[in-house]
Amino acid sequence: MSMNTQGRPTAAVETDGQSTAFESFSGHRGLRLAEPLIFEMDREDTTGVDVEEVGDFDLEIAGLGRDSKIGCPGLPEPDVVRHYTRLSRKNYGIDMGPFPLGSCTMKHNPRLNEKMARLPGFGDIHPLQPISTVQGALELMETLSHWILELTGTPAVALSPKAGAHGELCGVMAIRAALEARGDAREVILCPESAHGTNPATAAFCGYKVKSIPAKDNGRVDIEALKQSLDDTVAAVMVTNPNTCGLFEDEVREIADAVHAAGAFFYCDGANFNAIVGKARPGDLGVDAMHLNLHKTFSTPHGGGGPGSGPVVFSDALKDYVPLPYVVKTADGLTLKEHADDKDPSMGRLVAFHGQMGMYVRALSYMMSHGSDGLKQASEDAVLSANYILASLQDVMTASYEGPCMHEALFDDRFLKDTGVTTLDFAKAMIDEGYHPMTMYFPLVVHGAMLIEPTESESKNNLDQFIRSMRGLVEEAKSGNVARFSGAPYFAPMGRLDETQAARKPVLKYEAAE
Amino acid sequence: MRYLPLTGDDRSEMLKKIGVSSIDDLFKDVPAADLNPEIDLPRHMSEMAVERALSKMAARNTAAGSVPFFVGAGAYKHHVPATVDHIIQRGEFLTAYTPYQPEIAQGTLQAIFEFQTQVAALTGMDVANASMYDGSTACGEAVLMARRVTRKKKAILCGSLHAHYARVVETMTQYTEDVVVTQQAQPANPQAELDALIDAIDDETSCVVVQNPGVFGHVLDLTPVAEKAHAHKALLIVAVTEVMSLGMIKSPGEMGADIVVGEGQSIGNGLMFGGPYLGLFATNQKYVRQMPGRLCGETVDSNGDRGFVLTLSTREQHIRREKATSNICTNSGLCALAFTVHMSLLGEKGLRQVARVNHKRAQDVKLALSAISGVEVLNSAYFNEITVRLPGNAADIVEKLADKDILAGVPASRLYPGAGMDDLLIIAATETVLEDDIAALATGLKEVLS
């Protein structure tokens, strides 16, 4: 029993304010722990696992043994747990606080979904074990498909794309396959200037030239300009709806009609579907193909950059071109169609196996938990919260467009004019306030963009506190306290990092000093 | 609804602040006829009810851990230490975004830096990226990269490249300038297959893609392929679908590979019916700027302390748009973290030990099955997977063994239908296979064949 052996409770002591300036002997600063790389821990020749002894035996590897050193350290288990726990504490996640990263939809990740994905019947089954032994897995895929089709109002879905951009690839490949099937070679895809970078990159991947279409002053696609660009060279138009400015394309039906009249296809980037789940169905709006980001709309965790999951829904015009494999109902139950025969117009295989099963389980768990009523309420709450932020900040910040917005509110940097504070500085100062910054400098169509997406996961108290912080920062910036911003963050695990140096002389792995 | 914090009163107050009377005023831009459609789906469910419904589906599947299990061919059942799943479920990792704000993402970034270092070491290459979707898409990206590097268009895929990888490469290149030639697989004669590949390399060739160990389990020396490829200014791309083999077999880098792609699932990640997995992608320093995907690099912060950031992003779609090296955005962050944590436990020493157990188990399987009349083992050099010729249709035999609760492997016809491989069975044996399992497989197979 060492705790406070003198029986005296500790009390706060007044300090002179200077005593924090010292360097600690350990290199740590209390809970701000300095953590080396695993390669710097002198554990080259040890291991943290106990492996069964198999004794000596002759290897049957044609003399191709790996004789040279590999160079990966093996740490004892306590050190591994501590190392990665310490690293984790240098991260900001949704679990720690509001994460209003526009376009990224950082909503609560229910732990039930994690638990379900780890059931042995889902987590411990092999993609190539006999179909008769995975009927429940196919049932899950079939059920998820049903929910997706019902929510999007479309007749077909391809589950296998691994992420949003991969879904775009799937969608645009289906468009090209359909055009080629009717002997109609087209060469151009139209994208708004505000599009995600993946849209033009995907179009190029499928051999298309990209042409930009302008926006109107109200942040929506300029439909007259679009119509002028639409001719028989245009394969498709890729539009995000709700768009990257956080606005619903109010002329979406007119866009669809114009695109179809020109013999082209309407691809919708569904990154922002979370604003309209249960409120509107892309199929009703004339969309031919749209990917969903299960890791945004349906809350599968972002995991520090993935894995994602990007199922694509298709209209009747495109549904024959879906990639392999897909689930088929037969008299004996469910099966997987894994190979194309000569007559099958499928675009082919996009991934080695059946896509992101682990994400399908999580997404379906999320959907079933919410139900039709909860999914609609979640969309409404996300839109309500974004508009509340817009209404609460637009008198001090500069909103780029008039509301109402959808699930995210877009501001630009006009309110920082002549303050000496940039969007980047402002974002870094938000870190000191305990928030993950909003999306900055995207979309490209407004100057110094700040895209704020609160999601439906924040209570009104959280929103009000966030608004107070933002208003306080605006006041500080306008009052000339530039240092608070230009040197930010002050309270993060690290000071501002030098990205220029990293790119100039790339060091991409650890190398022991000679 | 348990995940939604706003109360009815909150919503009313917020609407009032916004200055509208109902929530649908905020949806006024949606065409009125399309707003609030009838959705024919069940209403919300309690946590208990969801768990019950999904558990029922899960129970209809045969979990690998519940039976003698020999299924591989691109995804492998290995033991993953409990620590791995604990770490990746920490909210700071699980619920973080891509580390675009490095000051509050050093955990993710340092782990990626460690991952890149481990992958480079394992593959024997200079640099590795922060991971791709999976091994097959990484393979497709490698073919595209080889065209950018060599400015030539013809890619030759070896016959023993996993059929799904070959199909994915074909799909990914169908609208690019690449011309993909896939060679005939020769499961019973791997050396002849390799010789044919070497013969096919010419001055038009941008790259050759070889899997090692091949999909039928053969381990090959790729040095002659590298020599021929380099003589014709083509790149050697080596695909590794079983990374555990890198703890025993000479690395692709040592054999002369220019790009190594791999499926990293075996380390740190469960079977999960095929995904999410993680694609490995490694290459030589001189090709770094042609690489697809995210890269993490070292730098310093404003105090001069070492830190990490995403770097060289001018290759990527969010900067370069239609001129990017790939359209890829998302990587397999959490799967890569699982890989790194597991690899940090294993280390070189543990990896080599586990690899030996795998090889021993495969030898034991080979020995047990060779003793069965009518069964022919096709492999002389292999790691943890072999192919056997059965006196009958392998898919039917696998089905009959499944009825006996033995998952015996992957019939080659499932990967190569109509290719005259109906009697071939691909059998994997990892450290999770016990002596009893091997005995059960041999006994079961004898019964089915008799």
Side-chain angles (χ1 to χ4, degrees), chain A residues 243-277:
Chain A
N243 70 23
T244 59
C245 301
L247 304 168
F248 194 87
E249 293 286 350
D250 53 344
E251 293 178 300
V252 57
R253 275 176 168 268
E254 288 79 0
I255 293 173
D257 290 346
V259 169
H260 292 148
F265 290 95
F266 182 10
Y267 187 89
C268 181
D269 180 328
N272 295 335
F273 184 52
N274 60 303
I276 57 169
V277 179

Tab-separated table of all heavy atoms in Angstrom, chain A residues 243-277:
chain	number	residue	atom	x	y	z
A	243	ASN	N	-24.393	17.884	-53.663
A	243	ASN	CA	-23.091	18.158	-54.250
A	243	ASN	C	-22.029	18.505	-53.205
A	243	ASN	O	-22.307	18.528	-52.006
A	243	ASN	CB	-23.207	19.214	-55.359
A	243	ASN	CG	-23.526	20.597	-54.818
A	243	ASN	OD1	-23.262	20.915	-53.661
A	243	ASN	ND2	-24.104	21.427	-55.671
A	244	THR	N	-20.817	18.734	-53.680
A	244	THR	CA	-19.703	18.924	-52.742
A	244	THR	C	-19.754	20.271	-52.035
A	244	THR	O	-18.958	20.531	-51.144
A	244	THR	CB	-18.357	18.784	-53.456
A	244	THR	OG1	-18.299	19.765	-54.491
A	244	THR	CG2	-18.177	17.397	-54.050
A	245	CYS	N	-20.682	21.148	-52.454
A	245	CYS	CA	-20.891	22.387	-51.715
A	245	CYS	C	-21.959	22.192	-50.643
A	245	CYS	O	-22.371	23.153	-49.985
A	245	CYS	CB	-21.307	23.506	-52.665
A	245	CYS	SG	-20.102	23.834	-53.959
A	246	GLY	N	-22.419	20.944	-50.517
A	246	GLY	CA	-23.430	20.659	-49.505
A	246	GLY	C	-24.832	21.049	-49.939
A	246	GLY	O	-25.713	21.229	-49.106
A	247	LEU	N	-25.054	21.168	-51.244
A	247	LEU	CA	-26.344	21.622	-51.755
A	247	LEU	C	-27.000	20.527	-52.589
A	247	LEU	O	-26.307	19.792	-53.294
A	247	LEU	CB	-26.151	22.868	-52.638
A	247	LEU	CG	-25.431	24.031	-51.957
A	247	LEU	CD1	-25.044	25.076	-52.996
A	247	LEU	CD2	-26.314	24.646	-50.870
A	248	PHE	N	-28.323	20.454	-52.519
A	248	PHE	CA	-29.029	19.506	-53.363
A	248	PHE	C	-29.183	20.115	-54.753
A	248	PHE	O	-29.547	21.291	-54.888
A	248	PHE	CB	-30.405	19.178	-52.771
A	248	PHE	CG	-31.043	17.975	-53.402
A	248	PHE	CD1	-30.778	16.701	-52.917
A	248	PHE	CD2	-31.877	18.106	-54.509
A	248	PHE	CE1	-31.347	15.576	-53.513
A	248	PHE	CE2	-32.438	16.990	-55.110
A	248	PHE	CZ	-32.179	15.721	-54.621
A	249	GLU	N	-28.897	19.325	-55.777
A	249	GLU	CA	-29.062	19.795	-57.160
A	249	GLU	C	-30.553	19.827	-57.465
A	249	GLU	O	-31.150	18.813	-57.819
A	249	GLU	CB	-28.329	18.861	-58.129
A	249	GLU	CG	-26.818	18.882	-57.997
A	249	GLU	CD	-26.176	20.144	-58.573
A	249	GLU	OE1	-26.881	20.935	-59.253
A	249	GLU	OE2	-24.963	20.346	-58.339
A	250	ASP	N	-31.151	21.025	-57.311
A	250	ASP	CA	-32.605	21.101	-57.404
A	250	ASP	C	-33.125	20.785	-58.807
A	250	ASP	O	-34.280	20.431	-58.982
A	250	ASP	CB	-33.117	22.470	-56.924
A	250	ASP	CG	-32.432	23.622	-57.618
A	250	ASP	OD1	-31.367	23.396	-58.242
A	250	ASP	OD2	-32.943	24.750	-57.550
A	251	GLU	N	-32.238	20.880	-59.806
A	251	GLU	CA	-32.677	20.561	-61.169
A	251	GLU	C	-32.231	19.156	-61.585
A	251	GLU	O	-32.007	18.901	-62.761
A	251	GLU	CB	-32.137	21.605	-62.144
A	251	GLU	CG	-32.758	22.985	-61.908
A	251	GLU	CD	-32.187	24.047	-62.835
A	251	GLU	OE1	-30.971	24.291	-62.797
A	251	GLU	OE2	-32.980	24.625	-63.605
A	252	VAL	N	-32.117	18.286	-60.602
A	252	VAL	CA	-31.569	16.954	-60.877
A	252	VAL	C	-32.371	16.202	-61.940
A	252	VAL	O	-31.814	15.533	-62.811
A	252	VAL	CB	-31.445	16.129	-59.577
A	252	VAL	CG1	-32.783	15.999	-58.862
A	252	VAL	CG2	-30.829	14.772	-59.843
A	253	ARG	N	-33.693	16.334	-61.909
A	253	ARG	CA	-34.506	15.639	-62.912
A	253	ARG	C	-34.260	16.204	-64.312
A	253	ARG	O	-34.199	15.453	-65.290
A	253	ARG	CB	-35.992	15.733	-62.560
A	253	ARG	CG	-36.437	14.646	-61.574
A	253	ARG	CD	-37.881	14.843	-61.176
A	253	ARG	NE	-38.391	13.676	-60.470
A	253	ARG	CZ	-39.017	12.661	-61.067
A	253	ARG	NH1	-39.204	12.657	-62.366
A	253	ARG	NH2	-39.454	11.640	-60.343
A	254	GLU	N	-34.084	17.530	-64.376
A	254	GLU	CA	-33.796	18.151	-65.672
A	254	GLU	C	-32.423	17.691	-66.174
A	254	GLU	O	-32.235	17.451	-67.369
A	254	GLU	CB	-33.825	19.686	-65.559
A	254	GLU	CG	-35.216	20.280	-65.373
A	254	GLU	CD	-35.754	20.182	-63.940
A	254	GLU	OE1	-35.036	19.642	-63.065
A	254	GLU	OE2	-36.895	20.607	-63.706
A	255	ILE	N	-31.467	17.574	-65.240
A	255	ILE	CA	-30.137	17.081	-65.621
A	255	ILE	C	-30.272	15.678	-66.209
A	255	ILE	O	-29.768	15.384	-67.292
A	255	ILE	CB	-29.179	17.063	-64.408
A	255	ILE	CG1	-28.875	18.489	-63.935
A	255	ILE	CG2	-27.874	16.329	-64.756
A	255	ILE	CD1	-28.078	18.567	-62.636
A	256	ALA	N	-30.992	14.819	-65.490
A	256	ALA	CA	-31.156	13.435	-65.941
A	256	ALA	C	-31.823	13.389	-67.314
A	256	ALA	O	-31.376	12.663	-68.215
A	256	ALA	CB	-31.978	12.646	-64.921
A	257	ASP	N	-32.865	14.178	-67.485
A	257	ASP	CA	-33.580	14.174	-68.766
A	257	ASP	C	-32.677	14.631	-69.905
A	257	ASP	O	-32.659	14.033	-70.982
A	257	ASP	CB	-34.819	15.085	-68.690
A	257	ASP	CG	-35.899	14.483	-67.789
A	257	ASP	OD1	-35.785	13.276	-67.466
A	257	ASP	OD2	-36.826	15.217	-67.389
A	258	ALA	N	-31.912	15.684	-69.656
A	258	ALA	CA	-31.032	16.212	-70.704
A	258	ALA	C	-29.955	15.192	-71.061
A	258	ALA	O	-29.644	14.975	-72.237
A	258	ALA	CB	-30.388	17.517	-70.237
A	259	VAL	N	-29.406	14.559	-70.033
A	259	VAL	CA	-28.352	13.555	-70.253
A	259	VAL	C	-28.915	12.389	-71.056
A	259	VAL	O	-28.314	11.947	-72.039
A	259	VAL	CB	-27.790	13.075	-68.896
A	259	VAL	CG1	-26.898	11.848	-69.075
A	259	VAL	CG2	-27.010	14.199	-68.219
A	260	HIS	N	-30.071	11.918	-70.676
A	260	HIS	CA	-30.674	10.776	-71.376
A	260	HIS	C	-31.073	11.138	-72.805
A	260	HIS	O	-30.924	10.333	-73.722
A	260	HIS	CB	-31.870	10.238	-70.586
A	260	HIS	CG	-31.463	9.606	-69.287
A	260	HIS	ND1	-32.246	9.615	-68.165
A	260	HIS	CD2	-30.311	8.972	-68.927
A	260	HIS	CE1	-31.620	8.997	-67.173
A	260	HIS	NE2	-30.445	8.601	-67.617
A	261	ALA	N	-31.564	12.366	-72.981
A	261	ALA	CA	-31.956	12.798	-74.328
A	261	ALA	C	-30.756	12.793	-75.271
A	261	ALA	O	-30.892	12.579	-76.472
A	261	ALA	CB	-32.574	14.196	-74.262
A	262	ALA	N	-29.562	13.003	-74.694
A	262	ALA	CA	-28.347	13.016	-75.508
A	262	ALA	C	-27.764	11.614	-75.668
A	262	ALA	O	-26.686	11.434	-76.235
A	262	ALA	CB	-27.306	13.946	-74.895
A	263	GLY	N	-28.455	10.614	-75.146
A	263	GLY	CA	-27.971	9.238	-75.261
A	263	GLY	C	-26.837	8.929	-74.304
A	263	GLY	O	-26.149	7.919	-74.453
A	264	ALA	N	-26.660	9.776	-73.314
A	264	ALA	CA	-25.580	9.561	-72.343
A	264	ALA	C	-26.165	9.011	-71.040
A	264	ALA	O	-27.376	8.874	-70.894
A	264	ALA	CB	-24.846	10.865	-72.093
A	265	PHE	N	-25.258	8.686	-70.108
A	265	PHE	CA	-25.678	8.125	-68.825
A	265	PHE	C	-25.399	9.109	-67.687
A	265	PHE	O	-24.497	9.930	-67.756
A	265	PHE	CB	-24.951	6.813	-68.550
A	265	PHE	CG	-25.386	5.698	-69.460
A	265	PHE	CD1	-24.676	5.405	-70.615
A	265	PHE	CD2	-26.521	4.946	-69.175
A	265	PHE	CE1	-25.079	4.386	-71.465
A	265	PHE	CE2	-26.940	3.921	-70.011
A	265	PHE	CZ	-26.217	3.640	-71.161
A	266	PHE	N	-26.211	8.956	-66.651
A	266	PHE	CA	-26.113	9.850	-65.495
A	266	PHE	C	-25.463	9.080	-64.351
A	266	PHE	O	-26.084	8.217	-63.743
A	266	PHE	CB	-27.522	10.322	-65.117
A	266	PHE	CG	-27.590	11.299	-63.960
A	266	PHE	CD1	-26.452	11.898	-63.421
A	266	PHE	CD2	-28.824	11.650	-63.419
A	266	PHE	CE1	-26.541	12.801	-62.368
A	266	PHE	CE2	-28.926	12.550	-62.360
A	266	PHE	CZ	-27.773	13.124	-61.835
A	267	TYR	N	-24.169	9.383	-64.088
A	267	TYR	CA	-23.494	8.795	-62.936
A	267	TYR	C	-23.618	9.751	-61.764
A	267	TYR	O	-23.275	10.935	-61.879
A	267	TYR	CB	-21.993	8.539	-63.214
A	267	TYR	CG	-21.368	7.786	-62.062
A	267	TYR	CD1	-21.362	6.395	-62.047
A	267	TYR	CD2	-20.888	8.461	-60.942
A	267	TYR	CE1	-20.870	5.694	-60.955
A	267	TYR	CE2	-20.399	7.773	-59.844
A	267	TYR	CZ	-20.391	6.384	-59.861
A	267	TYR	OH	-19.926	5.704	-58.770
A	268	CYS	N	-24.079	9.243	-60.647
A	268	CYS	CA	-24.157	10.080	-59.448
A	268	CYS	C	-23.117	9.599	-58.445
A	268	CYS	O	-23.069	8.419	-58.105
A	268	CYS	CB	-25.558	9.998	-58.840
A	268	CYS	SG	-25.751	11.022	-57.372
A	269	ASP	N	-22.254	10.503	-58.027
A	269	ASP	CA	-21.311	10.210	-56.945
A	269	ASP	C	-22.130	10.233	-55.660
A	269	ASP	O	-22.673	11.268	-55.275
A	269	ASP	CB	-20.213	11.277	-56.944
A	269	ASP	CG	-19.166	11.061	-55.840
A	269	ASP	OD1	-19.528	10.550	-54.764
A	269	ASP	OD2	-18.000	11.431	-56.057
A	270	GLY	N	-22.246	9.081	-55.006
A	270	GLY	CA	-23.123	8.968	-53.844
A	270	GLY	C	-22.439	9.219	-52.515
A	270	GLY	O	-22.942	8.805	-51.465
A	271	ALA	N	-21.305	9.908	-52.551
A	271	ALA	CA	-20.564	10.167	-51.308
A	271	ALA	C	-21.434	10.869	-50.268
A	271	ALA	O	-21.215	10.720	-49.072
A	271	ALA	CB	-19.320	10.997	-51.603
A	272	ASN	N	-22.417	11.622	-50.740
A	272	ASN	CA	-23.246	12.402	-49.814
A	272	ASN	C	-24.665	11.855	-49.672
A	272	ASN	O	-25.567	12.569	-49.256
A	272	ASN	CB	-23.291	13.864	-50.270
A	272	ASN	CG	-21.916	14.512	-50.198
A	272	ASN	OD1	-21.054	14.092	-49.419
A	272	ASN	ND2	-21.688	15.528	-51.014
A	273	PHE	N	-24.823	10.586	-50.007
A	273	PHE	CA	-26.147	9.967	-49.907
A	273	PHE	C	-26.697	10.044	-48.484
A	273	PHE	O	-27.906	10.029	-48.269
A	273	PHE	CB	-26.060	8.507	-50.383
A	273	PHE	CG	-27.372	7.772	-50.429
A	273	PHE	CD1	-28.462	8.298	-51.102
A	273	PHE	CD2	-27.512	6.533	-49.802
A	273	PHE	CE1	-29.674	7.606	-51.146
A	273	PHE	CE2	-28.717	5.846	-49.848
A	273	PHE	CZ	-29.806	6.381	-50.511
A	274	ASN	N	-25.794	10.145	-47.516
A	274	ASN	CA	-26.237	10.177	-46.124
A	274	ASN	C	-27.217	11.309	-45.818
A	274	ASN	O	-27.936	11.233	-44.832
A	274	ASN	CB	-25.033	10.243	-45.180
A	274	ASN	CG	-24.184	11.471	-45.396
A	274	ASN	OD1	-23.698	11.700	-46.501
A	274	ASN	ND2	-24.006	12.269	-44.370
A	275	ALA	N	-27.246	12.339	-46.659
A	275	ALA	CA	-28.173	13.450	-46.404
A	275	ALA	C	-29.601	13.100	-46.771
A	275	ALA	O	-30.551	13.726	-46.296
A	275	ALA	CB	-27.737	14.682	-47.199
A	276	ILE	N	-29.779	12.109	-47.651
A	276	ILE	CA	-31.122	11.897	-48.208
A	276	ILE	C	-31.659	10.470	-48.054
A	276	ILE	O	-32.685	10.133	-48.619
A	276	ILE	CB	-31.175	12.312	-49.700
A	276	ILE	CG1	-30.136	11.540	-50.526
A	276	ILE	CG2	-30.985	13.812	-49.850
A	276	ILE	CD1	-30.311	11.688	-52.032
A	277	VAL	N	-30.953	9.650	-47.274
A	277	VAL	CA	-31.452	8.285	-47.065
A	277	VAL	C	-32.855	8.354	-46.461
A	277	VAL	O	-33.068	9.021	-45.451
A	277	VAL	CB	-30.526	7.497	-46.107
A	277	VAL	CG1	-31.077	6.087	-45.880
A	277	VAL	CG2	-29.114	7.439	-46.644
